[in-house]
Amino acid sequence: MTTERSFGGTGEASDAEEFDAFYAACAGRVVGHVYTLTGNRTEAEDAVAEAFTRAWQRWPAVREADSPEAWVRRVASRIAVSSWRKAFNRVRAHRRAAVDISVPGLTEDHVALLQALQQLSAAERRAVVLHHLNDLSVADVAAEMGKPVGTVKTYLARGRRAMAGMLTEAPQEEASHG
């Protein structure tokens, strides 16, 4: 992963230009990250918009962070999780009612992956997404999560083990039925 400190104050660009460049460089990745955590693109976009608003309000401090993108990603994740917790019962009811609805543009594998991720604990899901989908090292995941490396390794091992069972179940059932 490349360093993100290139947005530090050089005096060459105004704060607004610097922030705009930062936003353009990483907004898509952050939306993708939060979408993977939540499974809902609209919620992800809303959380990321709020996170970037907060980053702009604190831009002098955020730009000096070791990783401004990680700062925004962490804030957006927290916003999304908070929103998700508030809406949990609505989402669960919607899922029961919408079991047979197919989502255009998604493959069966993509849906299965998102469903498997949703079955993990929030910490396991976050570790798996950061490490396997965002290509962060275990050390970087530990730093972003504020957890010891050993704890992150445990989250990753548990998450992979749980997902392996969930993602290999359907083909085994189909094979056993003929």
Side-chain angles (χ1 to χ4, degrees):
M1 182 168 180
T2 61
T3 181
E4 298 160 5
R5 290 195 60 106
S6 61
F7 297 104
T10 61
E12 295 176 14
S14 73
D15 282 351
E17 291 169 332
E18 184 179 55
F19 185 82
D20 289 347
F22 167 66
Y23 177 87
C26 67
R29 285 190 302 270
V30 178
V31 168
H33 168 78
V34 177
Y35 169 64
T36 304
L37 288 175
T38 64
N40 184 308
R41 177 108 182 156
T42 302
E43 286 180 22
E45 290 170 345
D46 290 347
V48 171
E50 176 63 23
F52 273 105
T53 298
R54 293 179 188 182
W56 172 245
Q57 292 167 344
R58 298 163 183 81
W59 183 238
V62 171
R63 85 165 140 227
E64 295 302 321
D66 287 340
S67 173
E69 182 175 338
W71 188 97
V72 171
R73 189 170 47 236
R74 187 170 38 256
V75 170
S77 296
R78 288 178 181 160
I79 291 167
V81 167
S82 175
S83 171
W84 182 79
R85 285 180 182 148
K86 291 175 187 175
F88 181 73
N89 288 331
R90 279 184 297 145
V91 171
R92 188 170 45 176
H94 173 71
R95 284 186 181 163
R96 276 189 239 133
V99 169
D100 295 330
I101 296 176
S102 65
V103 179
L106 296 177
T107 66
E108 288 182 28
D109 289 344
H110 187 189
V111 172
L113 176 63
L114 289 174
Q115 288 175 340
L117 283 167
Q118 294 302 313
Q119 299 303 312
L120 301 179
S121 72
E124 291 167 352
R125 180 172 52 248
R126 186 170 180 210
V128 167
V129 168
L130 286 170
H131 182 66
H132 292 290
L133 300 177
N134 285 0
D135 294 324
L136 294 183
S137 70
V138 172
D140 289 341
V141 173
E144 185 159 330
M145 292 181 74
K147 301 285 183 187
V149 169
T151 301
V152 170
K153 287 180 178 179
T154 300
Y155 291 155
L156 289 169
R158 287 179 185 163
R160 284 189 295 256
R161 187 172 36 247
M163 288 181 67
M166 289 181 258
L167 295 174
T168 58
E169 239 173 55
Q172 290 173 352
E173 288 177 13
E174 289 174 11
S176 67
H177 293 301

